Amino acid sequence: TDCLPPGIKLVLIGSCRNESDYNRVKQLRTLAYDTLHLSSSQVEFIINQPYPVLQKYMTTSLIGLHTMWNEHFGISIVEMMSNGLITIGHDSGGPKSDIITIPTSQHQRTGYLAGTEEEYVEAIYDIYQLQVDERKKLRQAAKVSCERFSDDVFMHEFKFYLSGVLSKIGGIKVSKN
């Protein structure tokens, strides 16, 4: 039970698509409760819940971990960031190339990237060391960054490119609404 500091709770959230997924959750529960002797006040499993339940957790928690290697895009990362979680995504695929930005002279940090257990631990430690105002700034930068994935932006961009294509092939105009 010394695995987690006092006041820290690990919440594993996701969906199970098939028997293999359910077996993985069973293995994780065994690891948490039987092997590591953690209590349900330290580790909670939220499985196959509606989006409002997930959103409640995302808006009241501090950190979101995403560990899938080489995910094509990473919509769950966008959901975590847009709901205010400081997100640590796998340092590969879409999370690395399209979603999470690390600080540069031109970009503000919107989350963290990690590829090894040690890097995830370092990112978690770094987040816990941030002052409240630094956390707020990071969360805000992430939310603003996620606006580029909104339905409104998608529709605007889609209509823009579609109107260009249609005007070239037949002079068809696309409504702006």
Side-chain angles (χ1 to χ4, degrees), residues 60-107:
T60 59
S61 300
L62 177 62
I63 298 172
L65 295 178
H66 185 276
T67 60
M68 184 176 178
W69 172 78
N70 217 19
E71 181 166 7
H72 178 67
F73 178 67
I75 193 64
S76 60
I77 292 176
V78 173
E79 290 172 347
M80 288 189 279
M81 291 168 58
S82 66
N83 279 290
L85 283 172
I86 299 175
T87 305
I88 308 169
H90 196 276
D91 192 11
S92 65
K96 180 179 184 175
S97 64
D98 301 323
I99 303 172
I100 295 177
T101 57
I102 55 171
T104 65
S105 61
Q106 298 173 344
H107 298 293

Side-chain angles (χ1 to χ4, degrees), residues 10-101:
L10 176 63
V11 180
L12 289 93
I13 299 176
S15 58
C16 290
R17 302 160 295 183
N18 52 43
E19 187 176 347
S20 176
D21 288 352
Y22 282 105
N23 286 336
R24 179 163 303 157
V25 171
K26 183 178 177 183
Q27 291 171 340
L28 289 170
R29 283 188 169 128
T30 299
L31 175 65
Y33 300 134
D34 299 339
T35 305
L36 298 174
H37 305 290
L38 297 170
S39 69
S40 59
S41 66
Q42 294 172 300
V43 179
E44 184 177 1
F45 292 84
I46 308 298
I47 309 300
N48 295 337
Q49 294 298 306
Y51 189 71
V53 173
L54 306 181
Q55 199 169 28
K56 178 190 134 255
Y57 279 93
M58 289 188 284
T59 58
T60 59
S61 300
L62 177 62
I63 298 172
L65 295 178
H66 185 276
T67 60
M68 184 176 178
W69 172 78
N70 217 19
E71 181 166 7
H72 178 67
F73 178 67
I75 193 64
S76 60
I77 292 176
V78 173
E79 290 172 347
M80 288 189 279
M81 291 168 58
S82 66
N83 279 290
L85 283 172
I86 299 175
T87 305
I88 308 169
H90 196 276
D91 192 11
S92 65
K96 180 179 184 175
S97 64
D98 301 323
I99 303 172
I100 295 177
T101 57

Side-chain angles (χ1 to χ4, degrees), residues 148-167:
R148 63 196 156 121
F149 303 114
S150 72
D151 290 342
D152 290 339
V153 170
F154 174 82
M155 286 306 295
H156 179 268
E157 295 290 317
F158 181 76
K159 286 179 180 181
F160 173 78
Y161 289 106
L162 182 62
S163 66
V165 170
L166 292 177
S167 68

Side-chain angles (χ1 to χ4, degrees), residues 126-151:
D126 189 50
I127 293 166
Y128 274 99
Q129 297 305 308
L130 293 174
Q131 298 297 314
V132 173
D133 61 322
E134 294 173 306
R135 288 180 185 172
K136 186 176 180 180
K137 186 177 175 182
L138 197 157
R139 285 175 158 153
Q140 186 59 34
K143 284 182 179 185
V144 169
S145 175
C146 288
E147 290 173 5
R148 63 196 156 121
F149 303 114
S150 72
D151 290 342

